[in-house]
Amino acid sequence: MTKLNISNEPKILILATLAGGYAGADSTGQSHVDYPANTYILPVMCPVMFPPEFFIRAYERGIDGIILMYSGTDSPYKVEAEGTAKLINATYALMKERGIDTRRLRLAAICTVCVKPFLKEVNNMHNLLKGIGFVKSELKSHPAPLQGAKS
Amino acid sequence: MSEKPKIAVYTCYCGGNISHTVKCEQVAKLLAEQPDVVVSRTNMSLCSDAGQSQIEEDIRELGVNRVVIGACAPSLHEQTFRKTVIRAGLNPYLYHHIGLREQDSWVHTCDADGATCKAVRLMAAGVAKARLLDPLEPIQLEAEKRALVIGGGVAGLRAALDIADQGLKVVLVEKTPFLGGRMAQLDTVFPTGEEAHILLADLIDKVVNHDKITIFTQTEVTKVSGYVGNYGIQLTQHSRGVSAENAKALQDACQQMVADEFNYGLTERKVIYQPYHGCYPPLPAVDWEHYNGEPININGKSEILKDEIQQFELSAGAVVVATGFDPYVPREGEYGYSELPQVVTLPQLIRHMALNPGAKSLEWQGHKVRDIVLIHCVGSREIEGIDEPQEDGQVNNYCSRVCCTATLHMIEELRENFPKLNIYDLYQDIRTYGRGHEDYYINALDNGTRFVRYHGEEKPKVFAAPKGDTHPVLVHVTDALTYNQELEIPVDLVVLATGMQPRQIDDLVKMLKVSRGNDRFLLEVHPKLRPVETAVNGVILAGTAQGPMNIQESISAASAAAAKVISLLGSGQVELQPFVAAVDPEKCNGTGACVEACEYEDAIALETFVEDGKEVTRAVVTPANCTGCGACVAVCPNRAIDVQGWTLAQYEAMVDAIAMDIVDLVEAG
Ligand SMILES: Cc1cc2nc3c(=O)[nH]c(=O)nc-3n(C[C@H](O)[C@H](O)[C@H](O)COP(=O)(O)OP(=O)(O)OC[C@H]3O[C@@H](n4cnc5c(N)ncnc54)[C@H](O)[C@@H]3O)c2cc1C
Ligand code: SF4
């Protein structure tokens, strides 16, 4: 078996709504356009379920950039547009407190067929992280211990 | 969750689509080392019978109780594998699917190692989520076997008929006094050239004679409560104002005239009216919006007409919204509209032709038309920053889809009826996309129609010609087909091919809590996977309420909507996905933050119970009213509420797995 060359690049978490960004990412796949592989897309029904602390926790665990790809005003959920904007603002405030560069969190309205906007967001975050590096260097307090597979 | 997780992990080659980039064997090997993973396999094509049998066998023989699959997009095969695990006796929600094709192998073709690391992390995240999955049951509710269809245009009529044909009751509600909607205003229709009113009469006949369908005209929905399977609906109906006995006498005696909207203001009608011969219901109606309240004299008796408004309550298991479209009405001065009498819209010209069958020449306001210009895309494909926004600040940037073919269909009619007419067609693109539609374009090219192509940034301009000119109107246009030559076309009539706009249905949108797209038409959950459903369970879309469609497409959408209603209500029970909020009674102490955060009526409430002799207050979710948005999850200080199947703890576990170094992942094994 060939040896795996494990990349050590900043990690981008993409929380993408099923009705928007997640389907947009699938459309991008169907277009067969390459983008950086340090991108981890998780489907969400509606991003208003996340409290701001969820994002801080993710940074503490070692996620370097997060893009919230929601459906904006096109959402099937009435609360999504307004609720997500509020959530982002509250999270920015917490990020500042923790010394985390707020550019590490992006909100983007991505539709089911938004291939170009999807790529733009991903590439922008990738380039930003290349410049500003890993989040660990910014965290004022020590990162919380890693839990997960072993727990 | 009591039993210890025994997780089976499958990494699919997808016939090479995934394995050409992702080193699937390596992924499977690393995943095999994860805690709780009892088997980790690759497969050439997991969705094949052999692939599915392997999963079933593992569940049965290895006691697998969680399944994680990395394969093509979940939208393609999530349902397939849910059925696979059910066949093997496992709860379908104990399976998690990861998209390794569209979101990995197809987009990292130049980075096989990167794609493989990504697959490992995503699959590890899947395993982390799988550990925390709980078995879930779809939500079962009693359903009222009756559908409410709102809108009596071709889409609403078709949906009503299809639903009723399957034995379900239908209440069809139409706001105006007559059935038929916009199709009734058309003359002959593309692509068959049949007469719209004949096609419509046939459909209406079937609907009104169907014993399962009840029709309410002059009626609107004024209140909606409840949820899928059991909506409570209030209808408000205006009275007809006349009876079979006095209708003719009243109509004859009525003197008040108003612009006839059926003919787009080209003619006038009385306020007691029937829009066209043969319409349904056959009884005239009073136009209450315009009736001035003056008495009408019949047989020496003067009568003041009164609108006796009635309200009804009914229950319905599902609601079909078929409220249709409005044609775009140009602004004053847009291409000279409403300033120059020789500028009309395509719907107006259609009515003009219908009102003057067999005319020897095309005449407009008493003048013979020798030269005519038709301009495409009026009120459609507008460009932000160039076109003046609509009243709500938006530009109509969408294509109305029907107007190209409708314009070319009109050109064919004009050419057949008036062979000497000079016809100019000013277009941006010809979008004759349907079967048989392109023929109209080919015919127009052959029949001497002159095509001029303009750009959206440089629209044609319409002016009054100087006095004494041969023609009353001049059209200036830059023609992209002849290297941007500036043309001046003297004409007698300008026809604006106006597109479709959503109807003003703000109240209905609020009552039903449905969403609209950026184009302001009603929005489906997913354009490909759930194209006629809204995010509100049991509210289904039919026809042009959802966006521009021709008759054929409106009917297809209506039949699709009917099929959804039938599958939803047919059994008398509704089954919903269990992805709704659930309260953990151990943790909930009734703060009420969730109730405050929830935007949906009757989805969550605080209730007080007596337990062990003590009063406790807790949040209680009504699953049928909950959309699963999770606004409650974010605000609960005790983490006592979660969306089932999508819990915060599951997300945290997934994030941890993604954040972890692969070396750690290996060591974690
Ligand atoms: C200029 C032009 C030419 C066209 N020519 C053709 C053609 O030749 N061939 C073709 O295939 N298609 C053609 N079309 C398209 C065709 O008109 C539509 O596809 C069709 O009419 C759509 O039907 P519908 O039922 O969706 O909407 P509508 O016909 O608009 O019907 C909606 C109904 O709902 C009612 N309603 C609205 N709001 C409410 C409410 N709140 N409560 C109760 N009732 C309500 C309305 O009164 C109306 O009766 C043309 C369109 C245009 C603009
Ligand atoms: S169908 Fe043709 S005329 Fe209508 S908006 Fe689209 S391109 Fe323009």
Side-chain angles (χ1 to χ4, degrees):
Chain A
M1 197 178 295
T2 49
K3 198 172 167 336
L4 189 62
N5 183 11
I6 298 167
S7 72
N8 189 26
E9 278 193 293
K11 294 191 188 94
I12 303 170
L13 175 70
I14 301 173
L15 295 167
T17 56
L18 286 168
Y22 197 80
D26 279 346
S27 295
T28 309
Q30 279 151 10
S31 313
H32 295 264
V33 199
D34 264 41
Y35 57 85
N38 56 336
T39 41
Y40 302 90
I41 307 171
L42 296 184
V44 298
M45 299 228 288
C46 177
V48 296
M49 71 166 280
F50 297 108
E53 296 75 21
F54 171 83
F55 297 90
I56 303 301
R57 185 185 177 282
Y59 292 120
E60 286 174 348
R61 294 294 199 264
I63 300 290
D64 302 288
I66 303 177
I67 313 175
L68 236 174
M69 292 189 174
Y70 75 147
S71 316
T73 48
D74 263 359
S75 168
Y77 300 98
K78 286 191 144 266
V79 286
E80 185 170 323
E82 213 183 303
T84 310
K86 271 194 207 152
L87 159 71
I88 290 287
N89 287 336
T91 309
Y92 280 154
L94 278 190
M95 288 170 78
K96 279 184 197 150
E97 268 177 35
R98 299 296 315 269
I100 305 169
D101 191 325
T102 52
R103 289 173 297 171
R104 293 185 187 273
L105 176 61
R106 268 285 297 171
L107 175 64
I110 301 289
C111 72
T112 55
V113 290
C114 283
V115 173
K116 275 191 194 158
F118 175 88
L119 290 168
K120 190 174 142 222
E121 288 299 335
V122 168
N123 288 320
N124 283 353
M125 181 59 88
H126 181 74
N127 292 334
L128 172 80
L129 296 183
K130 258 196 201 161
I132 63 176
F134 293 96
V135 69
K136 282 188 179 152
S137 60
E138 279 170 18
L139 283 164
K140 279 185 182 155
S141 60
H142 288 296
L146 204 62
Q147 293 169 355
K150 272 179 183 158
S151 65
Chain B
M1 194 188 65
S2 50
E3 58 179 353
K4 185 173 159 35
K6 285 182 157 188
I7 305 173
V9 181
Y10 302 91
T11 308
C12 185
Y13 275 40
C14 193
N17 275 293
I18 294 173
S19 57
H20 278 170
T21 309
V22 174
K23 296 165 186 168
C24 294
E25 295 303 332
Q26 224 148 358
V27 176
K29 188 170 173 290
L30 281 173
L31 266 295
E33 292 158 10
Q34 290 297 293
D36 305 325
V37 172
V38 293
V39 60
S40 174
R41 299 185 195 275
T42 56
N43 195 291
M44 182 50 83
S45 179
L46 208 55
C47 59
S48 65
D49 285 351
Q52 294 189 54
S53 301
Q54 177 72 70
I55 301 171
E56 287 178 52
E57 199 182 303
D58 289 343
I59 294 172
R60 288 203 188 96
E61 290 180 11
L62 304 177
V64 164
N65 58 16
R66 302 283 184 283
V67 173
V68 175
I69 291 175
C72 55
S75 54
L76 289 171
H77 276 312
E78 194 170 43
Q79 293 307 327
T80 313
F81 295 123
R82 278 214 206 291
K83 287 184 189 139
T84 312
V85 301
I86 289 175
R87 279 200 301 277
L90 196 64
N91 181 285
Y93 297 96
L94 294 176
Y95 136 69
H96 183 65
H97 192 117
I98 293 142
L100 289 187
R101 193 179 70 177
E102 282 79 353
Q103 296 187 8
D104 194 358
S105 66
W106 277 357
V107 285
H108 310 307
T109 50
C110 307
D111 182 7
D113 280 342
T116 305
C117 287
K118 175 170 175 171
V120 171
R121 288 201 178 97
L122 286 175
M123 295 292 279
V127 168
K129 176 170 178 172
R131 274 190 205 105
L132 302 176
L133 285 175
D134 283 319
L136 300 173
E137 293 304 327
I139 300 160
Q140 302 277 352
L141 298 166
E142 283 269 314
E144 177 74 59
K145 290 176 92 168
R146 181 192 288 125
L148 169 73
V149 176
I150 309 173
V154 65
L157 290 164
R158 183 80 241 176
L161 188 61
D162 283 6
I163 297 168
D165 276 348
Q166 294 307 311
L168 268 68
K169 286 183 238 154
V170 178
V171 170
L172 176 65
V173 169
E174 166 57 45
K175 185 177 174 176
T176 70
F178 304 95
L179 297 181
R182 295 283 170 204
M183 184 171 163
Q185 292 171 283
L186 299 175
D187 191 11
T188 60
V189 286
F190 68 75
T192 55
E194 287 161 288
E195 289 189 39
H197 73 95
I198 294 180
L199 294 172
L200 204 49
D202 183 49
L203 181 60
I204 290 176
D205 191 51
K206 288 186 178 123
V207 169
V208 301
N209 290 312
H210 206 297
D211 61 352
K212 296 273 182 206
I213 303 177
T214 313
I215 300 168
F216 291 93
T217 53
Q218 290 172 285
T219 303
E220 281 186 75
V221 174
T222 38
K223 251 190 216 156
V224 179
S225 60
Y227 43 80
V228 59
N230 193 12
Y231 281 109
I233 310 283
Q234 184 191 64
L235 300 180
T236 301
Q237 185 177 39
H238 295 270
S239 57
R240 202 119 194 123
V242 300
S243 64
E245 291 72 42
N246 68 8
K248 181 158 184 345
L250 274 171
Q251 204 176 10
D252 289 347
C254 172
Q255 299 297 316
Q256 194 197 341
M257 301 296 287
V258 291
D260 187 353
E261 73 286 326
F262 187 77
N263 292 324
Y264 296 105
L266 295 179
T267 56
E268 287 197 324
R269 62 157 169 79
K270 294 183 174 183
V271 283
I272 302 174
Y273 74 108
Q274 268 176 300
Y276 63 100
H277 181 68
C279 61
Y280 184 88
L283 193 65
V286 176
D287 172 355
W288 298 112
E289 196 188 335
H290 294 106
Y291 172 51
N292 58 14
E294 300 272 310
I296 297 174
N297 292 312
I298 45 166
N299 307 327
K301 239 177 74 187
S302 77
E303 213 173 300
I304 293 178
L305 305 174
K306 271 225 173 88
D307 185 8
E308 273 146 22
I309 295 174
Q310 292 192 55
Q311 287 191 331
F312 312 85
E313 308 283 336
L314 65 98
S315 57
V319 179
V320 176
V321 188
T323 47
F325 73 99
D326 273 329
Y328 174 74
V329 180
R331 275 185 295 272
E332 194 174 323
E334 188 176 357
Y335 295 104
Y337 185 75
S338 78
E339 285 176 357
L340 303 176
Q342 299 85 359
V343 179
V344 299
T345 64
L346 180 61
Q348 284 177 316
L349 183 62
I350 291 172
R351 290 311 309 149
H352 179 79
M353 298 282 283
L355 290 167
N356 297 282
K360 294 247 160 20
S361 62
L362 178 61
E363 302 219 338
W364 191 258
Q365 301 193 334
H367 296 283
K368 186 170 169 188
V369 178
R370 298 154 294 166
D371 298 86
I372 186 170
V373 148
L374 298 101
I375 305 178
H376 289 232
C377 300
V378 176
S380 306
R381 301 180 63 190
E382 294 175 329
I383 303 169
E384 193 126 18
I386 290 186
D387 289 300
E388 207 177 301
Q390 302 300 320
E391 270 171 24
D392 62 0
Q394 299 224 40
V395 296
N396 293 343
N397 56 5
Y398 54 87
C399 168
S400 288
R401 302 175 84 242
V402 295
C403 22
C404 269
T405 313
T407 304
L408 292 161
H409 173 61
M410 172 54 80
I411 287 175
E412 192 155 295
E413 297 262 296
L414 291 170
R415 177 55 76 231
E416 273 170 19
N417 287 291
F418 317 116
K420 294 215 172 104
L421 194 65
N422 288 316
I423 306 174
Y424 300 87
D425 182 297
L426 275 48
Y427 72 99
Q428 295 191 67
D429 299 290
I430 298 288
R431 295 186 168 177
T432 45
Y433 60 91
R435 182 184 289 163
H437 297 196
E438 186 78 353
D439 294 349
Y440 290 101
Y441 176 54
I442 309 278
N443 294 348
L445 283 173
D446 286 346
N447 74 23
T449 301
R450 278 164 229 171
F451 284 90
V452 176
R453 186 173 193 183
Y454 72 89
H455 283 305
E457 304 83 33
E458 223 176 330
K459 299 233 157 58
K461 293 193 174 62
V462 178
F463 305 95
K467 269 217 165 85
D469 252 27
T470 54
H471 293 72
V473 177
L474 298 175
V475 179
H476 287 187
V477 58
T478 307
D479 182 16
L481 297 178
T482 55
Y483 302 103
N484 295 333
Q485 218 181 91
E486 306 274 346
L487 302 179
E488 180 178 271
I489 311 171
V491 291
D492 304 292
L493 193 63
V494 175
V495 182
L496 308 179
T498 45
M500 292 188 172
Q501 293 215 114
R503 271 191 207 261
Q504 224 305 347
I505 48 163
D506 287 357
D507 289 348
L508 201 58
V509 166
K510 268 201 203 118
M511 281 184 276
L512 293 171
K513 303 182 186 81
V514 287
S515 300
R516 286 195 266 218
N518 279 336
D519 57 10
R520 288 158 285 147
F521 286 98
L522 299 180
L523 192 68
E524 66 285 333
V525 178
H526 189 285
K528 294 187 190 78
L529 304 174
R530 292 168 69 189
V532 293
E533 290 162 84
T534 67
V536 182
N537 285 324
V539 179
I540 321 276
L541 305 175
T544 52
Q546 192 184 1
M549 296 181 194
N550 61 37
I551 295 167
Q552 190 186 353
E553 292 161 338
S554 303
I555 287 179
S556 303
S559 291
K564 276 282 152 212
V565 171
I566 294 157
S567 66
L568 202 61
L569 306 181
S571 67
Q573 286 246 311
V574 284
E575 192 169 278
L576 309 178
Q577 294 251 54
F579 305 139
V580 293
V583 178
D584 181 344
E586 308 262 291
K587 292 187 188 161
C588 177
N589 61 4
T591 63
C594 49
V595 180
E596 223 166 277
C598 179
E599 293 257 342
Y600 294 88
E601 212 174 302
D602 300 334
I604 190 164
L606 285 183
E607 284 183 21
T608 304
F609 311 82
V610 178
E611 272 178 14
D612 302 330
K614 269 201 296 185
E615 270 200 353
V616 287
T617 301
R618 258 189 235 128
V620 176
V621 177
T622 306
N625 289 344
C626 172
T627 61
C629 71
C632 50
V633 178
V635 296
C636 179
N638 305 322
R639 289 189 62 162
I641 191 162
D642 251 314
V643 176
Q644 300 189 119
W646 305 82
T647 68
L648 209 48
Q650 289 168 358
Y651 278 106
E652 287 172 350
M654 287 194 281
V655 167
D656 289 350
I658 291 169
M660 209 176 278
D661 286 336
I662 290 200
V663 185
D664 289 342
L665 276 170
V666 177
E667 281 172 5

